[in-house]
Amino acid sequence: MSLAQLSPKVGFPAFFRFREVAGKVVVTNFEGNYLILEKDEFARYVEGRVTPDEPLHARLDAANFLRDTYRITEAAEAVRRRKHFLSYGPILHLMVVTLRCNETCVYCHASRANMDQVDTDMSKETAEKVVDMILDCTNPFVTIEFQGGEPLVNFEVVKHTIEYALRKNETVGKRLEFTMVSNLSLMDEDKLDYLMKHRVQLCTSIDGPEKLHNSQRKLATMDAYQKSAFWMKRINEKYVEAGLDPTLYHVEALLTTTKATLPLYKEIVDTYVSLGCKTIFLRPIDPFGFAERVRLRVEYPRSAYLEFYRNALDYILELNRQGVEILERFAAIFLTKILQGEDPNFLDVRNPAGAGIGQLGYGYDGAVFTCDEGRMLHAMGDDTLRLGHVATHTYRDIVTHETVRAMTLASNLDGQPDCVNCAYQPYCGTIPAHNHKAQGSIFGRMRDNNVCMVHKGIQDYLFEKLADADAQTLKIFERWTTLRPREHFVHDGGDA
Amino acid sequence: MIELRFHRDIYAGESVDEALKVFERFATWEREQTDDAWVVRCTHDDAAREKKVANELANYALGLTIRRGGAT
Amino acid sequence: MSDIPQGLVSFDVGKAAVTMNVDADVYPLQALYGAAFIFIDRCYVFIDKPAQGQFRVTLGARGTVEDEEALRRLVGEFANELLTCAWRHQITQDNRMLIEAVTMQAIGGAAGSPSLDDLANFDFSDDAFEDPLGIAQSWEEKHGKKAGAGEDAT
Ligand code: SF4
Ligand code: SF4
């Protein structure tokens, strides 16, 4: 008799992982279904003492937690759905059109150059080669994100890239999207008209209330916040003028969470709401590119970050209960995976991670990196994540580069100590570039890994909320996990 | 003189050779093979330098061995 | 790392080095390679095999060390990394099929099918690529192409 022929006892558990959260036990299975059990329920489940006549048996069975009724095809289908992104290449292409920037931010060192360093501008020829590589990618949907430095500093090349890409895509036929991350201080009506006409999605940076923002992000005129806020409002007006639904089409902003941010969680959320943002992304600061002096000013222990996160989320949920629509992106990413069984394809919380297979970064000189962090490491003299150059390598050379394969292997949580036993494994991800920088290997060591700590802490919070969520909270969570595509920004091949 | 004994089960002979090529000009080297080791002797007038070069060579040989997937 | 078991580790502050004995039954050589590779950037690593079933790792600081504490930290971190690598080595063997399937799908999905030009340039040799823990070996054996770490693709 083979093992497969053994018929397990009724109530015998199938493969599961567990974690105690707020006096209850979260159990997850291979395909990512979850249940939150009372401790005595968990004990009876583990010991195989749950009888078919009790409601717990039905719950366990419905979520595929029982060995004797385990539905393998259903599980395989669920895993396939979660890993849908594996079939396509990089969706996100980060293009650094210049390193020059007119702003000086305390935490930005490796990413910027002074305004006179014109040699850090991408040339039109290089931009064309970057586009050629992007359009060679296997993903039928690609996003080109203009970054810097400040991309508006090299606006001619931004325009050239857009026009060249649209023209070339007429024959290639991809679904193409352009986004730009800008501090907006160099925006003017002409540039805005161009960007609106070419349906470029705009995103800016807001560090919080005016005082905090202006103390961290410095313009010569000391009005970085005012400039960003002005243009955010102006852009949002333009969307309305264009007849677009303002709940879907509005400028979103990125937060850089520094030490000074932590006590100001309320003010920060309020600022975002007042600027018309519907999303706030409470990301901890990356360990890239600061001098020691700056690190002391901006860095903080991850435990302090998690306290900030919990406070901010409580406040955000409170605002939502009062009818204010504001969503926290980390929560939305994890909840989509937890509640919907889908992966929103956020490249830093993915298994395996997106480095090289989900995103590529292009430096101003045409060098290609697995991700934006790779480019920053390069700026600091570490070329580990450099994959090649648009002038000398093909798209295929790049994505089959051994570094991409190594990163894919290293970020596979099924090969990662701790993650293999972690209840959050089906929803989680590690960031090999971060691991490399912080722990000396792309594999990392989860026991003392900052990204792991953050991901674990956030999921603990979310499962605590799910454990005793009222109908209103569940409704808010459901809204946060409902993806509404912004079709306006998509250029279908041939519609240039 | 510093003697380094690279165990054959741990270090690849080619890696040790390659490392020696890289560090050749930094000291005087002697090599020998025994049943279980690649033996390398490093000599330099300056004792501190001798130690440093020998250490760097050992690191290099280990790195190359690991990159090629092991000793065999 | 204040309670390192006796006899396992010996410190030599004068030589700025610490030596650790490693049981090969607990820590396979692949795990030792994995941990060593991470540490060769920050210190000198020498591995020896004093007897069958035993390895001896010597970690040498790049400069002088003030006291034993610095060496304790170094060897403590190395031991943590070694444990992680040993566990990873075990897991990757246990989950090999799953990891290979996902890697193949991811790289295959990103690369797409080769063009005729790609095929003309294809290296059909079966040298393993850099994979210190050997976790992708069989996948590589089938599809591999060798390039030095950190080099551009060719
Ligand atoms: S605006 Fe952006 S590129 Fe410029 S200094 Fe600030 S973070 Fe850096
Ligand atoms: S990274 Fe941390 S939280 Fe995520 S699965 Fe691994 S151990 Fe769990």
Side-chain angles (χ1 to χ4, degrees), chain C residues 39-88:
Chain C
F39 272 68
I40 52 178
D41 268 0
R42 62 180 107 149
C43 65
Y44 298 117
V45 186
F46 192 84
I47 310 177
D48 196 10
K49 192 177 176 185
Q52 204 54 36
Q54 216 193 352
F55 296 116
R56 186 170 51 210
V57 183
T58 305
L59 305 175
R62 283 189 181 269
T64 50
V65 290
E66 297 280 299
D67 52 17
E68 207 176 281
E69 194 44 43
L71 294 173
R72 275 181 182 276
R73 271 200 306 276
L74 186 65
V75 78
E77 265 207 61
F78 184 84
N80 279 353
E81 193 60 60
L82 180 59
L83 184 61
T84 309
C85 289
W87 189 7
R88 179 175 297 118

Side-chain angles (χ1 to χ4, degrees), chain B:
Chain B
M1 189 264 291
I2 293 179
E3 183 177 282
L4 298 163
R5 298 183 70 83
F6 296 104
H7 200 287
R8 283 170 181 254
D9 289 352
I10 297 164
Y11 294 84
E14 294 108 77
S15 302
V16 176
D17 279 349
E18 228 176 293
L20 273 168
K21 264 187 233 148
V22 173
F23 287 89
E24 208 161 21
R25 61 203 171 92
F26 299 113
T28 308
W29 303 95
E30 242 180 78
R31 64 182 94 182
E32 190 195 323
Q33 288 182 28
T34 66
D35 284 350
D36 62 355
W38 318 105
V39 182
V40 174
R41 290 183 199 93
C42 171
T43 314
H44 195 284
D45 295 344
D46 178 342
R49 189 160 175 85
E50 186 178 82
K51 186 177 166 204
K52 185 170 165 55
V53 177
N55 274 328
E56 291 290 350
L57 174 113
N59 255 13
Y60 203 79
L62 181 58
L64 290 178
T65 300
I66 297 171
R67 275 190 185 178
R68 70 193 289 286
T72 45

Side-chain angles (χ1 to χ4, degrees), chain A residues 179-413:
Chain A
T179 65
M180 182 191 280
V181 183
S182 162
N183 64 37
L184 298 180
S185 60
L186 295 174
M187 185 63 85
D188 58 38
E189 287 294 336
D190 287 344
K191 288 186 186 118
L192 182 56
D193 282 343
Y194 181 91
L195 294 166
M196 290 294 295
K197 181 164 167 246
H198 291 85
R199 294 183 267 144
V200 177
Q201 188 171 353
L202 292 162
C203 181
T204 191
S205 298
I206 293 289
D207 282 2
E210 186 178 319
K211 195 164 159 231
L212 174 62
H213 185 97
N214 285 346
S215 71
Q216 296 190 155
R217 305 182 62 92
K218 299 213 164 85
L219 273 181
T221 44
M222 292 310 287
D223 58 352
Y225 178 88
Q226 288 85 337
K227 289 234 162 73
S228 298
F230 172 84
W231 284 106
M232 286 174 81
K233 187 161 167 281
R234 183 75 194 105
I235 297 162
N236 287 344
E237 285 167 5
K238 285 279 213 184
Y239 286 141
V240 173
E241 282 166 26
L244 296 167
D245 173 2
T247 62
L248 198 54
Y249 296 97
H250 49 264
V251 186
E252 294 291 7
L254 293 169
L255 175 76
T256 301
T257 309
T258 63
K259 202 191 255 177
T261 317
L262 304 182
L264 297 177
Y265 64 90
K266 264 193 189 168
E267 290 83 344
I268 282 153
V269 175
D270 288 341
T271 304
Y272 270 66
V273 171
S274 72
L275 290 169
C277 300
K278 306 278 181 230
T279 301
I280 183 165
F281 196 173
L282 303 174
R283 293 185 82 167
I285 200 159
D286 278 334
F288 291 96
F290 333 119
E292 183 61 13
R293 181 177 45 83
V294 178
R295 198 181 63 73
L296 290 173
R297 177 168 171 193
V298 299
E299 266 273 41
Y300 37 81
R302 285 315 185 242
S303 52
Y305 164 81
L306 285 172
E307 196 189 324
F308 156 79
Y309 184 87
R310 296 174 79 91
N311 288 333
L313 248 282
D314 281 345
Y315 183 57
I316 289 171
L317 283 172
E318 191 47 48
L319 288 179
N320 275 273
R321 286 192 198 98
Q322 292 165 19
V324 179
E325 262 192 41
I326 178 95
L327 157 167
E328 200 286 312
R329 186 101 193 276
F330 248 143
I333 290 162
F334 282 117
L335 286 168
T336 305
K337 299 178 186 224
I338 295 166
L339 298 174
Q340 310 286 4
E342 303 278 346
D343 197 298
N345 204 9
F346 178 67
L347 302 163
D348 282 350
V349 190
R350 223 182 75 161
N351 173 16
I357 53 169
Q359 65 173 309
L360 288 171
Y362 305 86
Y364 66 88
D365 58 352
V368 188
F369 303 94
T370 54
C371 49
D372 198 36
E373 290 84 354
R375 180 182 64 83
M376 286 193 218
L377 285 171
H378 166 75
M380 295 157 65
D382 177 349
D383 264 347
T384 309
L385 307 183
R386 186 181 185 274
L387 303 174
H389 193 280
V390 288
T392 47
H393 295 91
T394 66
Y395 164 77
R396 220 163 179 276
D397 294 334
I398 294 292
V399 292
T400 56
H401 191 280
E402 67 172 7
T403 300
V404 174
R405 281 179 280 171
M407 305 263 287
T408 308
L409 285 162
S411 62
N412 190 322
L413 302 187

Side-chain angles (χ1 to χ4, degrees), chain A residues 99-109 111-113 148-150 182-183 205 216-218 256:
Chain A
L99 282 188
R100 291 193 291 148
C101 184
N102 61 326
E103 227 168 77
T104 313
C105 302
V106 284
Y107 38 71
C108 180
H109 163 65
S111 297
R112 78 176 291 284
E150 169 48 52
S182 162
N183 64 37
S205 298
Q216 296 190 155
R217 305 182 62 92
K218 299 213 164 85
T256 301

